[in-house]
Amino acid sequence: MLRKISVAELSPGMFVVDSGLSWLEHPYLFGQEGEIKSLAAVREIAEAGYTEAFIDTERGTYAQGRSAEPTLAELLARETDRPAEPAVPLEEELVAATAVYQDCLCIARNVLETVKAGGELDMDEPTSLVDDVIASAVRNPDALVALCKLRRHDAYTFTHGVNVAALSVAFGTALGLDTLGLRDLGLAGLFHDIGKTGVPDAILNKPARLSPGEFEQVKNHPGYGRQILEGRGLPEAVLRGVAEHHEKWGGTGYPHGLAGEDVHPYGRIIGVADVFDALTSRRAYKDGILPTKALGVLYGMRERDYPPGLVERFIKFMGPYPVGSFVRLASGHHAFVSKSNPGRPLFPELLLTFDPAMARLKPRKIEAKPDAAGKSPIIEVVDPARHGIDPLEFLCPTGR
């Protein structure tokens, strides 16, 4: 399969092909056929002024090292949960992830405004930023997951695509997707709602129940999104992820009523991330619910809207107390969940911040230890906004 990519995406082992296009009409297209041997060769190509190339995804050592696109069942069967110790501590990665998140918001805004204005989309910047999202997720997936829920923005239209991309990529790392798979998944997540540019804002922001005619317009957005993105050199997996993220396991979704294994794995993954972010985000007509409650809602949708094992695996990845959760302890103290504990999810690492009277303490890390009966010390999850508390002030004091 031939795929057009930016020179910035070239990696050693990729096989460049001569597309046959005239260099007079395409002066920035690198077409010297052969395998890329080193990063130095990539730099030389970029320094020569080339910006794009065609690669054969089935040739070269890069392709040989990449397995065929897995099915969802294969992904769920993999024992590839996150390591107990992330490569980078949360507070350190939050600084880098915040910069990536802000850049993604700018790109998401530009893309939607460009589409609405009928302009041409450039995929180089979004692809590069998704690579940055992947790098952050590999270093510490909790950072981006926390940012998705702790950053407060009014522009849901822009933030939602960024959140879904970040959540999907972070979850994809736990499922064992390779780098190219994560890139495709991230791009599909970022663009999953691009088709809503064809739906009137009055419908998208309507607080009341939609009329049948209005709902029909909304149901068209996944297919319209695919139409917008077709012909731009994106892999079929990206297009299907966009087009199928509202299809349901039981065939009750839209726009085509696909069921069972007919839905692309990326459509399934993005669908779960989409619902989680929609439930936990503040909208013009509703407040978001706590992440723990959103996970409960998703659990109620398992095996009806989503295939067996997918929601359960997402909940396992997120943990019953996602990083950034503000919790009340049996002692009456309050703390933030600062680190997940994959081996014992009910006992995460905590950052103790307030005493029982809600007086501020000098933050210190503690382990959530079981009581005499083996129960978690966490009594409930609390909305920090009720107390006027910004979680990032505690979790990322140097990078806000």
Side-chain angles (χ1 to χ4, degrees):
M1 175 181 171
L2 296 187
R3 180 181 175 189
K4 187 180 183 183
I5 65 172
S6 70
V7 165
E9 295 176 75
L10 282 175
S11 296
M14 287 184 174
F15 194 92
V16 175
V17 298
D18 181 355
S19 65
L21 295 173
S22 168
W23 68 268
L24 291 172
E25 297 176 359
H26 302 274
Y28 304 110
L29 181 67
F30 179 71
Q32 183 176 331
E33 190 156 301
E35 185 174 313
I36 301 297
K37 297 298 184 182
S38 65
L39 287 174
V42 176
R43 286 195 296 271
E44 290 175 3
I45 294 169
E47 289 169 358
Y50 295 104
T51 59
E52 297 176 315
F54 278 92
I55 64 168
D56 188 334
T57 61
E58 297 177 356
R59 299 171 70 184
T61 55
Y62 188 89
Q64 294 167 12
R66 185 188 183 194
S67 58
E69 190 174 285
T71 65
L72 185 59
E74 290 171 338
L75 288 175
L76 295 177
R78 293 177 178 177
E79 293 297 329
T80 52
D81 291 317
R82 64 172 73 183
E85 289 295 330
V88 176
L90 177 70
E91 55 269 27
E92 180 180 335
E93 185 55 36
L94 273 172
V95 177
T98 298
V100 172
Y101 188 88
Q102 293 295 343
D103 288 343
C104 284
L105 283 179
C106 292
I107 290 298
R109 182 186 295 271
N110 291 341
V111 165
L112 292 180
E113 290 178 348
T114 298
V115 171
K116 282 188 174 182
E120 282 295 317
L121 285 180
D122 182 355
M123 292 297 167
D124 289 346
E125 273 194 308
T127 301
S128 178
L129 277 175
V130 166
D131 285 344
D132 291 339
V133 169
I134 294 168
S136 178
V138 169
R139 291 190 297 264
N140 189 327
D142 284 334
L144 280 169
V145 170
L147 276 179
C148 290
K149 295 299 97 199
L150 300 182
R151 282 288 182 190
R152 292 191 173 272
H153 298 277
D154 293 324
Y156 174 82
T157 303
F158 307 122
T159 59
H160 180 57
V162 175
N163 287 351
V164 170
L167 289 168
S168 297
V169 166
F171 184 35
T173 62
L175 294 176
L177 280 172
D178 64 20
T179 301
L180 288 183
L182 290 172
R183 178 185 291 164
D184 291 349
L185 178 61
L187 285 171
L190 187 64
F191 293 131
H192 80 285
D193 270 350
I194 197 171
K196 285 186 176 178
T197 54
V199 181
D201 288 340
I203 293 178
L204 295 177
N205 298 319
K206 185 177 178 179
R209 185 181 181 88
L210 298 179
S211 69
E214 290 170 335
F215 188 46
E216 283 302 316
Q217 291 189 62
V218 172
K219 287 166 64 175
N220 289 331
H221 84 265
Y224 181 49
R226 175 174 179 134
Q227 292 176 25
I228 291 172
L229 297 173
E230 280 182 331
R232 302 181 188 278
L234 292 171
E236 179 69 10
V238 176
L239 302 180
R240 289 192 62 184
V242 170
E244 298 173 19
H245 71 277
H246 278 297
E247 303 288 358
K248 304 300 182 186
W249 177 251
T252 59
Y254 59 84
H256 300 300
L258 301 178
E261 299 295 343
D262 289 339
V263 182
H264 195 279
Y266 297 170
R268 297 289 190 206
I269 294 170
I270 292 168
V272 170
D274 177 40
V275 170
F276 178 79
D277 188 66
L279 287 171
T280 54
S281 295
R282 184 178 62 187
R283 307 288 292 275
Y285 50 83
K286 77 168 186 70
D287 289 329
I289 65 175
L290 291 171
T292 48
K293 292 185 177 180
L295 292 175
V297 172
L298 277 170
Y299 188 73
M301 300 169 71
R302 72 194 189 287
E303 299 187 22
R304 178 172 56 87
D305 291 351
Y306 300 107
L310 179 62
V311 170
E312 295 89 332
R313 191 68 178 270
F314 184 74
I315 293 172
K316 183 179 180 182
F317 164 72
M318 295 293 289
Y321 307 110
V323 168
S325 297
F326 189 50
V327 297
R328 182 171 68 87
L329 307 180
S331 65
H333 289 74
H334 286 72
F336 287 101
V337 176
S338 58
K339 183 180 176 183
S340 57
N341 185 353
R344 303 181 72 195
L346 293 176
F347 304 97
E349 180 185 90
L350 302 173
L351 186 67
L352 195 67
T353 50
F354 293 90
D355 70 11
M358 286 302 294
R360 187 163 175 169
L361 303 171
K362 182 179 180 180
R364 63 185 178 91
K365 292 181 180 179
I366 62 172
E367 293 182 16
K369 295 182 178 179
D371 61 16
K375 294 183 179 179
S376 171
I378 298 174
I379 300 300
E380 66 173 337
V381 179
V382 181
D383 185 356
R386 281 171 33 194
H387 299 280
I389 296 170
D390 179 3
L392 290 178
E393 180 183 348
F394 298 90
L395 295 171
C396 185
T398 62
R400 293 175 64 247

